[in-house]
Amino acid sequence: MAKFDHVLLASDFDNTLVYTQGALERGEDIPPMSVRNREALDYFLANGGLFAVSTGRALPAFAPYVRDLPCNAPCVIANGAALYDFGKNEYIYTAFFSERIYAQVDELLMRFPDLTFEVYHDDRRIHAMHPNQYVLNHEHLTRAKTQEVADFREVDLPIIKLLFEDERSVLDEVYAFICSRPWGSEYELIFSSDHLLEMTVHGATKGGMVLRLAALLGVPRENIYCVGDHLNDIPMLDVAEIGFAPENSVPEVLSCGAQIVCHCRDGAIADIIDILDKRY
């Protein structure tokens, strides 16, 4: 039996596994994963460990990078809306919107006629309503282009998630409005940055999907470890035996009870594997 047999480590991508914020601010390409992280993950996998990325990115925004990552388990994508096996290029599990989304977005657009949001599909398409500078910034970060659409009802199902993009004050109003509607309880709403508000179906969170992944892989709850830096990572930190947070995490994550490791650019994943090496 290998040292890390049936031990699962699930990591956020942006600013956890790879430091992407600096590249965005400087207008540069996203850097590769640090050598320290890669060497640690090679050791973890060679000794039976299971590694998966759990990202808010949807398929087209994450697929170009996963080829260079040592993932040996299906990944959580779209903030918990799906499990995707990149080795087989297929969905393992999905939690998509129903056709009720059309009438609900009608209500939303009546209240916020110029609301900006991206619409993610099960394939590699991303539509955008009323694209603004935040959409352009997000395209630069993810390298995933959007296709503008004038009428939401022109967008076809299945839809994985909506991503609202605006100033935080506007997104706070959108959040409150959705929560006030009778159908609001059908969805998960979580901020993945001050300018990004994610909406998935109820129960579709990183935490819920990591638990589903662990069950699929036969990993017991006490062998689940997760790491992330932002609010949308807290649900998976909560389900982990130990949740970890790089020191560059937002204040809410740093204060949520997670164990703090080094800044992501210095090899936060390697810090975690050093800790696990002493536990097993």
Side-chain angles (χ1 to χ4, degrees):
M1 179 175 174
K3 183 171 190 174
F4 299 120
D5 191 40
H6 289 91
V7 175
L8 173 64
L9 175 58
S11 172
D12 176 46
F13 180 68
D14 291 285
N15 302 313
T16 299
L17 181 61
V18 175
Y19 185 51
T20 59
Q21 185 61 39
L24 175 62
E25 291 171 350
R26 296 187 298 270
E28 300 172 356
D29 289 337
I30 291 173
M33 183 173 58
S34 72
V35 172
R36 183 169 180 249
N37 276 347
R38 181 166 293 279
E39 290 176 348
L41 282 168
D42 287 345
Y43 169 75
F44 180 68
L45 269 61
N47 285 277
L50 296 164
F51 179 67
V53 169
S54 179
T55 180
R57 292 178 180 237
L59 186 58
F62 182 58
Y65 302 100
V66 74
R67 294 188 298 268
D68 297 322
L69 301 178
C71 300
N72 62 347
C75 292
V76 178
I77 63 170
N79 214 44
L83 276 176
Y84 195 86
D85 188 328
F86 284 93
K88 298 179 180 178
N89 288 318
E90 65 181 23
Y91 284 96
I92 303 301
Y93 180 81
T94 59
F96 295 161
F97 293 162
S98 74
E99 64 181 10
R100 292 191 299 276
I101 191 63
Y102 292 112
Q104 293 159 356
V105 169
D106 284 346
E107 283 190 53
L108 194 56
L109 288 173
M110 286 183 65
R111 173 63 180 80
F112 304 95
D114 299 318
L115 184 62
T116 296
F117 56 96
E118 295 180 28
V119 185
Y120 289 80
H121 295 270
D122 64 327
D123 53 24
R124 295 173 187 262
R125 292 174 299 142
I126 307 173
H127 287 99
M129 291 282 295
H130 311 125
N132 59 14
Q133 186 60 44
Y134 294 115
V135 171
L136 295 179
N137 290 344
H138 197 238
E139 284 183 339
H140 172 75
L141 173 65
T142 63
R143 298 297 192 267
K145 292 297 183 182
T146 63
Q147 177 184 347
E148 185 174 358
V149 61
D151 184 350
F152 180 73
R153 287 183 175 269
E154 295 176 8
V155 177
D156 56 308
L157 296 175
I159 295 171
I160 295 179
K161 74 170 185 176
L162 301 184
L163 178 64
F164 304 106
E165 295 162 284
D166 214 314
E167 294 292 335
R168 180 60 184 255
S169 59
V170 174
L171 297 182
D172 283 340
E173 290 186 40
V174 171
Y175 185 103
F177 179 80
I178 293 173
C179 291
S180 74
R181 308 309 301 152
W183 44 266
S185 60
E186 297 179 28
Y187 300 103
E188 301 284 346
L189 289 167
I190 196 160
F191 286 93
S192 53
S193 85
D194 280 341
H195 306 295
L196 302 176
L197 175 62
E198 315 239 1
M199 187 170 101
T200 55
V201 300
H202 180 69
T205 66
K206 287 188 178 186
M209 205 58 81
V210 164
L211 289 178
R212 187 174 291 275
L213 174 62
L216 176 70
L217 299 173
V219 173
R221 183 73 174 264
E222 63 268 21
N223 284 352
I224 300 173
Y225 301 92
C226 300
V227 55
D229 72 297
H230 220 287
L231 296 176
N232 59 326
D233 296 309
I234 291 177
M236 71 172 177
L237 302 182
D238 286 343
V239 304
E241 176 69 13
I242 302 177
F244 295 94
E247 64 181 24
N248 55 281
S249 300
V250 299
E252 293 89 343
V253 173
L254 292 174
S255 62
C256 77
Q259 184 167 335
I260 311 302
V261 290
C262 71
H263 194 292
C264 68
R265 66 187 168 209
D266 297 324
I269 304 303
D271 270 10
I272 294 167
I273 292 172
D274 286 344
I275 293 167
L276 297 184
D277 202 27
K278 295 178 176 65
R279 287 179 64 88
Y280 291 91

